[in-house]
Amino acid sequence: MSESLPERAEVQYYFGAGPAQLPKPVILQLSKDIVNYENQGIGIGEISHRSKTAQSIIDNTRENILKLLTNNGKYELDQLRRDYEVFFLQGGGTTGFSSIPLNLNSLKGKGGYLISGSWSLKSFQEAKRLGSDVVTLYNDKTENNAFKGCYKGDYSKLLEQEDDLKYVYICENETVNGIEYDATIKDLAKACRDKNVELIADLSSDVFSREIDIYDYGVIMAGAQKNIGIAGLTLYIAKKNLLDQIKANGVDSNLPIAFDWNLQNDNNSCYNTIPMVPLHTLNLVFQRLLANGGIKEQETINIEKADKLYSVLDKYSTESTEVEEKQRIVKFTVDKQFRSKMNVVFNLITLELENQFAKEAEANGFLAVKGHRSVGGIRVSLYNAVKLEAVEDLIKFFENFVNKL
């Protein structure tokens, strides 16, 4: 085995939907820390999760998350510390959405699910399988025969369908389908507040890619391996008063202790062994985000990346009038209003052409652009670590591909 680190280019042409790439500075620091963390003689993955060193990393990671959520001074840090808890559980998004109904079962009422894609559908199905009292408030596939976007109507009226809701569940960004809530999510948050209903959100694939108002949410959960880290850990941000209500009402007997939010939070995320390498990776990512100006700066870059790619795809879409008919090869299934900035999903006019594009893209170093196996097509993921230069080079490749047809 080699004792030296391999070289890594400054720009990575990897567009996978998760696990996703990490910023080069994070990878390099992580590599050093796996070998020897802060000159302690052992690596970050070898230290006890109950050691002072590990506890310090947990505390620092939590603090950096809260700093990011201040939205560059909109909220005071002490205010967020007072109102929200931050903790971590082993697992990923599936663990996360499975834990949600079980932790909320002790509250009076039912859960309402807004189904906008594959992951929110799976979340609802799992809640039903676990025996929780849940209902579908809206299913985009049922309404449109395919997942094309999110609910467009009056959220207040939608929530009035059920008079005993305790929470509304959404997946903010559907990685499989390329669907992301737009600014109308604020209307949903207001409707939830007006009805005294908690908004529970899976942010696994767009967490810290854009500014949010944490006070819009009762609980946020996010698997780490897309925008903020590597697989093995899930982030939870929950209202303190909601956790208090759950504790006061008693734990659901079907809730595994490993998924018990209050138990984990009360034990500083260390009731069982927290994976220190994924946790430390999160913290390195958060440190870099803060050093680079916070979420707003990252959001500006993400908007530019997505806008540039969508602009070119629109140019060559079947609806375009800008190019010759033979060059109109792109088909969108997602409503333009809800196009994801993280996962750009589209089809080409034939399966043969999609396979040709994916093959030539890989041959030219543009990796992981095939769509999810359940829907096919092409998927280009533009998570935080994907550099603008990589997107611009992919655009050039795509235009050359079209011009050869």
Coordinates of all heavy atoms in Angstrom, one line a residue, residues 5-6 49 67 71 77 92 107 120 124 130 153 163-164 200 302 307 310 317 323 325 328 342 359 377 385 398 404:
L5 N -0.4 10.4 -0.5 CA -1.7 10.6 -1.0 C -1.6 10.8 -2.5 O -0.7 11.4 -3.0 CB -2.3 11.9 -0.4 CG -2.7 11.9 1.1 CD1 -3.1 13.3 1.5 CD2 -3.8 10.9 1.3
P6 N -2.6 10.2 -3.2 CA -2.7 10.4 -4.7 C -3.0 11.9 -5.0 O -3.6 12.6 -4.1 CB -3.8 9.5 -5.1 CG -4.7 9.3 -3.9 CD -3.8 9.4 -2.7
H49 N -15.7 8.0 21.2 CA -16.8 9.0 21.0 C -17.1 9.7 22.3 O -17.8 10.7 22.3 CB -18.0 8.4 20.3 CG -18.7 7.3 21.2 ND1 -18.0 6.2 21.5 CD2 -19.9 7.3 21.7 CE1 -18.9 5.4 22.2 NE2 -20.0 6.1 22.4
K67 N -24.5 28.8 13.6 CA -23.9 30.0 13.0 C -24.4 30.2 11.6 O -24.8 31.3 11.1 CB -22.4 30.0 13.1 CG -21.8 30.2 14.4 CD -20.2 30.1 14.4 CE -19.6 30.3 15.7 NZ -18.1 30.1 15.7
N71 N -28.2 33.2 9.3 CA -28.3 33.9 8.0 C -27.6 35.3 8.1 O -28.2 36.3 7.8 CB -29.8 34.1 7.7 CG -30.5 32.8 7.3 OD1 -29.8 31.8 7.1 ND2 -31.8 32.8 7.2
L77 N -27.3 34.3 17.7 CA -26.9 32.9 18.0 C -27.5 32.4 19.3 O -28.0 31.2 19.3 CB -25.3 32.8 18.1 CG -24.7 31.5 18.0 CD1 -25.1 30.7 16.7 CD2 -23.1 31.7 18.0
G92 N -29.0 7.4 7.3 CA -29.2 8.4 6.3 C -30.6 8.9 6.2 O -31.3 8.8 7.2
L107 N -47.8 12.7 19.9 CA -48.6 13.9 19.8 C -50.0 13.6 19.3 O -50.2 12.8 18.4 CB -47.9 14.9 18.9 CG -46.4 15.3 19.3 CD1 -45.9 16.3 18.3 CD2 -46.3 15.8 20.7
S120 N -40.6 11.5 -1.0 CA -41.7 11.8 -0.2 C -42.7 10.7 -0.2 O -43.4 10.4 0.8 CB -42.3 13.2 -0.5 OG -42.5 13.3 -1.9
F124 N -44.0 8.5 3.1 CA -45.4 8.3 3.4 C -45.7 6.8 3.5 O -46.3 6.3 4.5 CB -46.3 8.9 2.3 CG -47.8 8.5 2.5 CD1 -48.5 9.1 3.5 CD2 -48.4 7.6 1.7 CE1 -49.9 8.8 3.7 CE2 -49.7 7.3 1.9 CZ -50.5 7.9 2.9
L130 N -45.4 1.6 9.3 CA -45.2 1.6 10.7 C -46.4 1.7 11.6 O -46.3 1.7 12.8 CB -44.1 2.7 11.0 CG -42.7 2.5 10.5 CD1 -41.9 3.7 10.7 CD2 -42.1 1.3 11.2
G153 N -51.6 25.3 -5.3 CA -52.8 26.0 -4.9 C -52.6 26.7 -3.6 O -51.5 27.0 -3.1
D163 N -58.8 18.4 10.0 CA -58.9 19.3 11.1 C -58.1 18.9 12.3 O -58.1 19.5 13.3 CB -60.4 19.4 11.5 CG -61.0 18.1 11.9 OD1 -60.3 17.1 12.0 OD2 -62.3 18.1 12.1
D164 N -57.3 17.8 12.2 CA -56.5 17.4 13.3 C -55.1 17.0 13.0 O -54.5 16.1 13.5 CB -57.2 16.2 14.0 CG -57.4 15.0 13.1 OD1 -57.2 15.2 11.8 OD2 -57.6 13.9 13.5
I200 N -42.4 19.6 9.0 CA -41.3 18.6 9.1 C -40.7 18.4 7.7 O -41.4 18.0 6.8 CB -41.7 17.3 9.7 CG1 -42.6 17.5 10.9 CG2 -40.5 16.4 10.0 CD1 -42.0 18.1 12.1
N302 N -24.6 28.6 -6.6 CA -25.5 27.5 -7.0 C -26.6 27.9 -8.0 O -26.9 27.2 -8.9 CB -26.2 26.9 -5.8 CG -25.3 26.1 -4.9 OD1 -24.2 25.7 -5.3 ND2 -25.7 25.9 -3.6
D307 N -28.7 28.0 -13.4 CA -29.2 28.9 -14.5 C -28.4 28.7 -15.8 O -29.1 28.6 -16.9 CB -29.1 30.4 -14.1 CG -30.2 30.8 -13.1 OD1 -31.1 29.9 -12.8 OD2 -30.1 31.9 -12.6
Y310 N -29.5 25.1 -17.2 CA -30.9 25.1 -17.7 C -31.0 26.0 -19.0 O -31.8 25.6 -19.8 CB -31.8 25.6 -16.6 CG -32.2 24.5 -15.6 CD1 -31.9 24.7 -14.2 CD2 -32.9 23.3 -16.0 CE1 -32.3 23.7 -13.3 CE2 -33.2 22.3 -15.1 CZ -32.9 22.5 -13.7 OH -33.3 21.6 -12.8
S317 N -34.2 22.3 -26.3 CA -35.4 21.5 -25.9 C -36.3 21.4 -27.1 O -36.2 22.1 -28.1 CB -36.1 22.2 -24.7 OG -36.9 23.3 -25.2
V323 N -33.0 26.9 -32.3 CA -32.1 26.0 -33.1 C -32.9 25.2 -34.1 O -34.1 25.2 -34.1 CB -31.4 25.1 -32.1 CG1 -30.5 25.8 -31.1 CG2 -32.3 24.2 -31.3
E325 N -34.4 22.0 -36.0 CA -35.3 20.9 -35.5 C -34.5 19.7 -35.0 O -34.8 19.1 -34.0 CB -36.4 20.5 -36.5 CG -37.4 19.5 -35.9 CD -38.5 19.3 -36.9 OE1 -38.6 20.0 -37.9 OE2 -39.3 18.4 -36.6
R328 N -33.2 19.8 -31.5 CA -34.2 19.9 -30.4 C -34.3 18.5 -29.8 O -35.2 17.8 -30.1 CB -35.5 20.5 -30.9 CG -35.4 21.9 -31.5 CD -36.7 22.3 -32.1 NE -36.5 23.5 -33.0 CZ -37.4 23.9 -33.9 NH1 -38.6 23.2 -34.0 NH2 -37.1 24.9 -34.6
M342 N -30.3 21.5 -7.6 CA -29.3 20.5 -7.1 C -29.2 19.4 -8.1 O -28.2 18.8 -8.3 CB -29.7 20.0 -5.7 CG -29.6 21.1 -4.6 SD -27.9 21.5 -4.3 CE -27.7 23.1 -5.2
K359 N -22.5 7.6 -22.5 CA -21.3 6.9 -22.8 C -20.2 7.9 -23.2 O -19.0 7.8 -22.8 CB -21.5 5.9 -23.9 CG -20.3 5.1 -24.3 CD -20.7 4.1 -25.4 CE -19.5 3.3 -25.8 NZ -19.9 2.3 -26.9
G377 N -33.3 8.5 -18.1 CA -32.9 9.8 -18.5 C -31.5 10.2 -18.1 O -30.6 9.4 -17.8
A385 N -20.2 21.3 -3.7 CA -18.8 21.1 -4.1 C -18.5 21.1 -5.6 O -17.4 21.2 -6.0 CB -18.3 19.8 -3.5
F398 N -21.8 19.4 -24.0 CA -23.2 19.1 -24.4 C -23.4 19.8 -25.8 O -24.0 19.2 -26.7 CB -24.2 19.6 -23.4 CG -25.6 19.3 -23.8 CD1 -26.1 18.0 -23.6 CD2 -26.4 20.2 -24.4 CE1 -27.4 17.7 -23.9 CE2 -27.7 20.0 -24.7 CZ -28.2 18.7 -24.5
K404 N -22.9 17.7 -33.3 CA -22.4 16.6 -34.2 C -23.6 15.8 -34.7 O -23.4 14.9 -35.5 CB -21.5 15.7 -33.3 CG -20.2 16.3 -33.0 CD -19.2 15.3 -32.4 CE -19.8 14.8 -31.1 NZ -18.8 13.8 -30.4

